[in-house]
């Protein structure tokens, strides 16, 4: 199995339910509950060729993946920053693609 993937034939046999709330959480998380928490959902990267024709329109060029990604998700892990330090220009280009969206970039620390 590739990390994070299971064959489609096994999906119906996986229990995706959450475990019971640990009793220690009441002590650790006491205080006012947030009525409408903001939830951010995203992936580790937007450059997935296999998403073309599924999440991204057919014939989408790789340079346009992020512009389509921000239409479906509101955050990204930015796995790429673990392997390379990007300059202000590159990061600015990413930010421009999410302009006007409630979108969060979560860069990974560099391995350097």
């Amino acid at each position: 199995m590739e990390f994070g993937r299971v064959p489609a034939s096994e999906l119906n046999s996986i229990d995706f339910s959450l475990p019971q709330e640990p009793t220690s959480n009441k002590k650790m998380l006491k205080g006012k509950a947030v009525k409408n928490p903001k939830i951010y959902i995203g992936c580790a990267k937007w450059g997935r060729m296999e998403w073309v024709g599924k999440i991204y329109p057919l014939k989408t060029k790789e340079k346009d993946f992020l512009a389509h990604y921000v239409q479906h998700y509101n955050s990204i892990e930015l796995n790429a920053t673990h392997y390379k330090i990007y300059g202000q220009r590159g990061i600015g280009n990413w930010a421009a693609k999410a302009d006007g969206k409630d979108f969060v970039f979560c860069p990974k620390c560099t391995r350097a």
Side-chain angles (χ1 to χ4, degrees):
M1 176 177 97
E2 184 180 340
F3 178 77
R5 293 178 189 224
V6 294
S9 60
E10 294 179 23
L11 286 175
N12 289 334
S13 65
I14 298 172
D15 179 5
F16 288 105
S17 62
L18 295 174
Q20 189 167 348
E21 185 80 18
T23 54
S24 60
N25 277 2
K26 284 188 179 182
K27 182 178 179 183
M28 297 297 292
L29 301 174
K30 63 184 174 186
K32 291 187 176 184
V34 178
K35 288 186 180 181
N36 296 306
K38 180 69 178 181
I39 306 293
Y40 288 91
I41 304 292
C43 302
K45 62 183 189 173
W46 61 75
R48 305 297 304 212
M49 294 300 293
E50 63 268 26
W51 290 354
V52 174
K54 295 174 184 158
I55 295 174
Y56 305 148
L58 286 172
K59 300 183 181 179
T60 301
K61 294 183 178 4
E62 192 170 354
K63 69 178 182 62
D64 299 321
F65 283 0
L66 178 57
H68 290 286
Y69 179 93
V70 302
Q71 304 301 317
H72 299 279
Y73 301 100
N74 62 355
S75 68
I76 186 133
E77 180 185 329
L78 276 183
N79 195 37
T81 58
H82 179 70
Y83 301 100
K84 177 182 173 183
I85 297 174
Y86 290 83
Q88 184 175 356
R89 185 178 193 193
I91 293 170
N93 288 339
W94 295 342
K97 303 254 172 118
D99 190 38
K101 300 256 181 225
D102 182 10
F103 192 88
V104 176
F105 290 91
C106 304
K108 252 182 150 174
C109 292
T110 178
R111 67 180 174 179

